[in-house]
Amino acid sequence: MDTAFRPLLNTTVTVTTSVSLDRYGVATYTGTASTYRARVVQKAEKILDIKGNEATSSHIAWIDSTGTIAHTDRIVFNDGTSPPIQRVERYPDENGYHHLKVFLGSI
């Protein structure tokens, strides 16, 4: 991420990767979690979710990572809450990808 934006990342989020889904769609997660610098704002916004359905997000998180976060992964805020991931977007510039924008549902 551009160093000019780093001061805006005023919190951290912890992401745990899902390894499988059972027949009911409930995820099983790895034992290892990654913590990233982030900016999380509460903002209701109409979006298309991963399935292409219209949904309303409750939070948006800009995460300082070039990795992959899937809608089946788990994001945990510093207060321990874990909203569902509705959509993940990656933004490149002339140097490649530098952050993720994650739309989160209601807790």
Side-chain angles (χ1 to χ4, degrees), residues 74-85:
R74 178 173 47 206
I75 287 185
V76 180
F77 293 161
N78 288 337
D79 66 2
T81 57
S82 181
I85 298 172

Side-chain angles (χ1 to χ4, degrees), residues 15-60:
V15 179
T16 308
T17 304
S18 65
V19 291
S20 65
L21 298 174
D22 68 13
R23 64 182 178 184
Y24 303 107
V26 177
T28 300
Y29 300 97
T30 62
T32 306
S34 299
T35 301
Y36 301 102
R37 291 174 51 140
R39 178 167 186 85
V40 179
V41 296
Q42 185 173 357
K43 181 180 180 189
E45 189 168 316
K46 294 249 185 228
I47 63 166
L48 292 179
D49 65 16
I50 195 73
K51 296 177 183 177
N53 298 318
E54 189 173 289
T56 301
S57 66
S58 66
H59 292 77
I60 300 172

Side-chain angles (χ1 to χ4, degrees), residues 55-68:
T56 301
S57 66
S58 66
H59 292 77
I60 300 172
W62 289 270
I63 299 175
D64 189 9
S65 173
T66 58
T68 301

